[in-house]
Amino acid sequence: MKNKLSSLGGLVYSTEAGRMCPACRQPVAQCVCKQAVVPAGDGTVRVSRETKGRGGKAVTLVKGVALDAEGLAALGKQLKAACGTGGTVKDGVIEIQGDHIERVMAALIAQGHKVKRAGG
């Protein structure tokens, strides 16, 4: 039996570092995976309309906003309220339900963003 345990080779469990982050395997105090990564772009916010994969329903997409996750969620909430519709924020892209390109562009320009219409 002793030979079997020694064949496992090394430390199995330790409480030395405390709680560990499951993603980056660092102590929770030194975790780097939760830090906000602001996407580097060209400074232009692109607004487009998409229907692909949505059962024919139009969705307005806002890409290229250089904000962290909390700022992006707040901007998404403001845009949804301005359009009077629902939406979400996924992978750094704000999705607004419906075809609201003009309203979204006007709201972003009012906030001082450089906006460009993308797609058709």
Side-chain angles (χ1 to χ4, degrees), residues 83-94:
C83 296
T85 186
T88 187
V89 178
K90 291 182 185 173
D91 300 325
V93 177
I94 301 172

Side-chain angles (χ1 to χ4, degrees), residues 54-66:
R54 303 176 195 280
K57 301 201 186 289
V59 174
T60 303
L61 301 176
V62 181
K63 300 178 184 177
V65 182

